[in-house]
Amino acid sequence: LQSILNRVLEPDIDAVNDQDNTAVFTGVGDQSTATMIIEIAGFASRNVFGIYEYGNPGSRATIFEGAAGAGAFAEITFGANGDVIIDRGLAGTQTFTSLFSGTGIPMFGFFISTPQGNTFFTEDSLNRGDAPQALIYRGDDASTIDLSGDDGPPPPATFGSDDFIIAFEDLVYANADQDFNDMVLMVEGIAPVPAPTAALLGVVGLGLVGVIRKRFL
């Protein structure tokens, strides 16, 4: 994970010491965006990433399915009636009806589902053994993030305070290599809400891994 962060951010952030403990979010305005940075898991072709309603983790909207690779992009629109619209460009648009109750501000976390039948959440309390399955990094309004890689645009941009990098481990934490490089994404246009937070790994640390770039299938 540290190698991935080093590649896309300038100056670098520390994979252990710069973690943010946010686990639940809301949109800034009515639209957010998600970009896949990298996915190098053995389950890469079958993992699913999306959002779920805070307090109702069974209510979910899929953002990326297994065919999405590095550079995949989606716009997430929050309707006033509780609908969520996912626009994946050439991959099509999908509406998830009444994901939220439609009253108040939508609050949500992120999840991945794997072909082993596991679903892991940004809220540690929803995971087996209350274990961390996602590490979160918030922008500082100063660093530059470059997701262009070998595929051209988008150009480098400021890693803002409404931007978050989410890095998932896609095996049960107790049995995993705990490198958190299985799926790494940036979500823009979201803000933290006061809700149960994700645990920080702190002194547990992270192993360094090489970067493998996965193109669209």
Side-chain angles (χ1 to χ4, degrees):
L1 178 60
Q2 185 66 66
S3 296
I4 296 168
L5 297 176
N6 291 350
R7 177 170 65 83
V8 299
L9 286 166
E10 178 63 41
D12 301 338
I13 62 175
D14 188 284
V16 174
N17 296 315
D18 292 331
Q19 295 169 33
D20 190 273
N21 65 357
T22 301
V24 180
F25 305 84
T26 189
V28 177
D30 62 359
Q31 192 172 80
S32 302
T33 62
T35 303
M36 184 85 76
I37 297 176
I38 198 168
E39 188 181 12
I40 59 177
F43 297 141
S45 64
R46 292 179 287 170
N47 283 341
V48 172
F49 168 77
I51 65 173
Y52 64 91
E53 182 182 25
Y54 169 60
N56 185 18
S59 183
R60 306 172 191 166
T62 297
I63 298 174
F64 294 128
E65 296 182 305
F73 180 84
E75 291 184 344
I76 308 157
T77 300
F78 303 99
N81 60 353
D83 291 355
V84 173
I85 302 170
I86 308 296
D87 182 354
R88 306 182 188 94
L90 295 177
T93 300
Q94 187 174 7
T95 298
F96 294 85
T97 304
S98 301
L99 179 72
F100 301 106
S101 63
T103 59
I105 299 173
M107 295 190 295
F108 52 87
F110 295 94
F111 74 89
I112 60 169
S113 292
T114 78
Q116 289 186 321
N118 294 316
T119 299
F120 301 120
F121 302 90
T122 48
E123 290 181 82
D124 297 344
S125 60
L126 298 178
N127 299 322
R128 188 182 305 180
D130 296 335
Q133 296 285 163
L135 302 183
I136 312 293
Y137 303 90
R138 187 178 189 180
D140 58 6
D141 290 321
S143 301
T144 297
I145 188 162
D146 184 356
L147 303 184
S148 59
D150 299 328
D151 299 326
T158 300
F159 188 34
S161 57
D162 293 338
D163 305 334
F164 289 80
I165 289 175
I166 303 172
F168 277 100
E169 170 59 58
D170 75 346
L171 297 176
V172 174
Y173 182 82
N175 304 323
D177 54 15
Q178 302 170 13
D179 56 14
F180 289 87
N181 69 344
D182 297 314
M183 183 184 288
V184 185
L185 313 100
M186 183 174 77
V187 183
E188 302 172 77
I190 58 176
V193 296
T197 56
L200 304 182
L201 287 190
V203 296
V204 172
L206 295 163
L208 298 183
V209 297
V211 175
I212 301 173
R213 190 162 179 78
K214 178 188 172 192
R215 298 180 181 275
F216 288 105
L217 299 178

